Amino acid sequence: MADRLNGYRILILETREEAQFSKLLVEQGADVVQCPMFTIHDAPDPAPVEAWIRRAIDKPFDDLVLMTGEGLRRIMKLAGARGLDTTLVAALAKARKFTRGPKPGKALREIGLEAQQTTEKPTTEGVIEMLARLDLKGRRLGLQLYPDKDHGALTGALTAQGAAVDTVLPYVYDSKAADANIVAAIDAMAEGRIDSIALTNLGQVRRLIEAAKAHGVEARLRAGLERTLIASVGPAVSGELAAHGLRTDISPPEDAYFMRPLISAMAAALTERKPTTAR
């Protein structure tokens, strides 16, 4: 039914590609409150990214590992600005391509390429497990990373398998610019103006806690979460919530850790309570 969430106000913490999630919620009748968690910028120094692009063209990688769709799009943006996009796509076509979850795969399809394999678990550990089954000895491996994470475990595992790893970090986060949005979202929950908060990656939980602590509103955040249904897309997010002493009220069925099953679970849970607009 297209109106399963009619009248319910859902808070989503935007990160990289939450536009589709927001669209799906709106299609179900939800009043979506969007809270950007940070802004994304191109790498402040494009020279290392351009150098990586040129290495990929001059001597195509044997393997390419993409951690985010955003990363590939930023790489292609710079390649286009340098007139290298067509040549880069042709070079990447020669590599075996591996992605951390479906989002990098979508970005690959946007440039006419396909991933040979996608992780079952969209995590760094999932990437390590996937690549551990392969013989990487002596292979040149291009690895696109993302900000605000220590990738030592991943690069170390690949190097230990004998791969020559060539990394690129094509974008950065600016979290401070979005702090006002997060504080406003905390206030909305504390004042009972949100029916449910939907969490789709564990970074959102960390960012929410960090911003609350930085602005002295952690107690207000916890009070707001007490009166707001907390929806988690899967075990990684629920585990992060538990690590901070927070509960999970709603989650999709086992092995259905995606946006549509999460929305269905939210609709089922929310029908048992009146929406904020009706209180």
Side-chain angles (χ1 to χ4, degrees), residues 82-119:
R82 300 293 188 267
L84 299 171
D85 48 335
T86 301
T87 311
L88 177 60
V89 171
L92 297 183
K94 299 177 181 179
R96 293 188 304 184
K97 290 166 281 294
F98 304 92
T99 63
R100 185 189 68 137
K103 293 179 181 179
K106 179 181 177 183
L108 272 173
R109 290 191 294 275
E110 289 170 4
I111 59 173
L113 301 178
E114 289 284 345
Q116 273 66 56
Q117 195 170 345
T118 297
T119 54

Side-chain angles (χ1 to χ4, degrees), residues 150-257:
D150 180 359
H151 295 281
L154 175 57
T155 56
L158 297 175
T159 300
Q161 287 180 248
V165 182
D166 191 340
T167 63
V168 61
L169 183 59
Y171 62 99
V172 296
Y173 295 147
D174 180 0
S175 57
K176 291 183 179 180
D179 276 12
N181 300 321
I182 298 172
V183 172
I186 291 170
D187 287 341
M189 287 191 290
E191 293 164 9
R193 293 186 280 115
I194 300 295
D195 293 295
S196 178
I197 178 172
L199 301 166
T200 56
N201 70 70
L202 58 84
Q204 295 170 340
V205 182
R206 293 173 184 170
R207 178 80 177 94
L208 193 60
I209 296 290
E210 289 168 1
K213 287 180 177 178
H215 292 273
V217 294
E218 186 179 5
R220 188 163 173 78
L221 168 62
R222 291 182 180 275
L225 290 172
E226 279 297 319
R227 64 190 304 179
T228 305
L229 287 179
I230 303 173
S232 161
V233 76
V237 176
S238 296
E240 188 68 22
L241 284 165
H244 294 282
L246 299 170
R247 72 193 188 284
T248 296
D249 297 310
I250 306 167
S251 60
E254 187 176 351
D255 297 329
Y257 307 130

